[in-house]
Amino acid sequence: MASFPNQRTVTIHKPPYEKNFVQVEIYEWQEAFATLTKSSFGLYLYCCGNKDGFKLELSSAAVQNALHISDSSYRRAVEELLEKGYFMQRTTTKYDFY
């Protein structure tokens, strides 16, 4: 590992996760972080906590509770994820998450 001036070395100590994890590549979450509002990024990470192909029954109340956001913040987050292509709407009640 290369070392540079003013660089810190951080050793990560985390247990392996079999459940309650987030699945996302580093470049994906960094792009989302750079382009989404706080609530939208929270909803993005909430969705990333599921495996490929999983059908999440997305509950506004559950998301609001988990992220400590209001109903209006939740609704704006859904709209932003739609606008930026993270959500693709198939029907009025069915979405795909990318």
Side-chain angles (χ1 to χ4, degrees):
M1 177 189 315
S3 184
F4 299 94
N6 300 316
Q7 181 178 351
R8 292 176 175 85
T9 301
V10 178
T11 302
I12 308 298
H13 300 277
K14 298 189 68 66
Y17 295 103
E18 297 295 324
K19 59 181 179 174
N20 297 325
F21 56 86
V22 174
Q23 287 199 119
V24 62
E25 288 191 11
I26 290 173
Y27 79 90
E28 291 174 332
W29 74 256
Q30 289 173 341
E31 178 67 20
F33 180 80
T35 61
L36 296 173
T37 62
K38 179 182 174 183
S39 295
S40 297
F41 184 64
L43 180 55
Y44 168 84
L45 287 179
Y46 187 91
C47 291
C48 287
N50 299 283
K51 292 183 178 182
D52 183 48
F54 181 78
K55 293 194 186 318
L56 173 66
E57 299 297 330
L58 189 61
S59 162
S60 61
V63 172
Q64 291 170 47
N65 186 52
L67 302 181
H68 304 284
I69 62 174
S70 67
D71 183 62
S72 60
S73 292
Y74 168 79
R75 294 186 188 288
R76 283 192 304 270
V78 169
E79 286 303 314
E80 185 174 6
L81 292 183
L82 280 164
E83 289 169 9
K84 299 213 172 151
Y86 292 100
F87 278 163
M88 299 294 285
Q89 190 168 6
R90 291 192 288 144
T91 69
T92 56
T93 60
K94 293 187 183 192
Y95 295 74
D96 291 317
F97 174 72
Y98 296 92

